[in-house]
Amino acid sequence: MAANRWVGVTIDCTDPHRLASFWGTLLGLATDEDPLPGWARIGRQDALPEISFQPVSEPRKGKVRLHLDVSVDDIDRGIARVIELGGSPTGERHDYDEGVVVIMRDPEGNEFCLVQYY
């Protein structure tokens, strides 16, 4: 019996290439052309899970139930980099004994966490 394995995550968005560029630059991953028309992706399936960007006609509405956590060495530099790439802060920050979590948005408003562990 073959083992199950996680191969990627798909993000619905109105501009797949813009989001692939944002996330690829932020995570240091190459943007690949997806074989499906209009789609984009980052990462390579043979090296690590990939992120695919699926075109949809409507913008995101409501809270996303699944989000990415991005670990950074310096939370302030991480926030500045996200903003430089077209993302934005939500204003939400959580300080814990283990580190800090700042909730950010990508260019289409999808929330994700920047995390700096101590």
Side-chain angles (χ1 to χ4, degrees):
M1 178 183 229
N4 296 326
R5 65 187 181 103
W6 175 51
V7 296
V9 64
T10 300
I11 298 174
D12 290 349
C13 54
T14 58
D15 189 344
H17 294 285
R18 178 179 182 210
L19 278 196
S21 177
F22 171 86
W23 284 103
T25 302
L26 182 65
L27 299 174
L29 297 172
T31 302
D32 296 326
E33 282 301 315
D34 196 286
L36 298 172
W39 288 54
R41 69 178 171 198
I42 60 173
R44 294 207 159 258
Q45 200 170 21
D46 59 344
L48 55 115
E50 65 185 22
I51 302 175
S52 295
F53 302 90
Q54 173 179 327
V56 296
S57 59
E58 68 280 347
R60 185 189 68 82
K61 294 180 184 147
K63 180 163 177 42
V64 176
R65 296 279 186 159
L66 175 75
H67 66 268
L68 302 179
D69 291 346
V70 178
S71 177
V72 295
D73 293 329
D74 181 285
I75 198 72
D76 294 325
R77 282 197 303 251
I79 292 168
R81 183 67 172 145
V82 168
I83 293 169
E84 175 185 311
L85 294 173
S88 61
T90 65
E92 188 175 347
R93 177 186 173 119
H94 303 279
D95 290 280
Y96 303 104
D97 292 340
E98 303 83 18
V100 61
V101 176
V102 176
I103 313 302
M104 302 295 291
R105 289 186 187 102
D106 72 14
E108 289 203 9
N110 299 302
E111 293 179 353
F112 64 97
C113 294
L114 285 184
V115 181
Q116 179 185 350
Y117 296 106
Y118 299 135

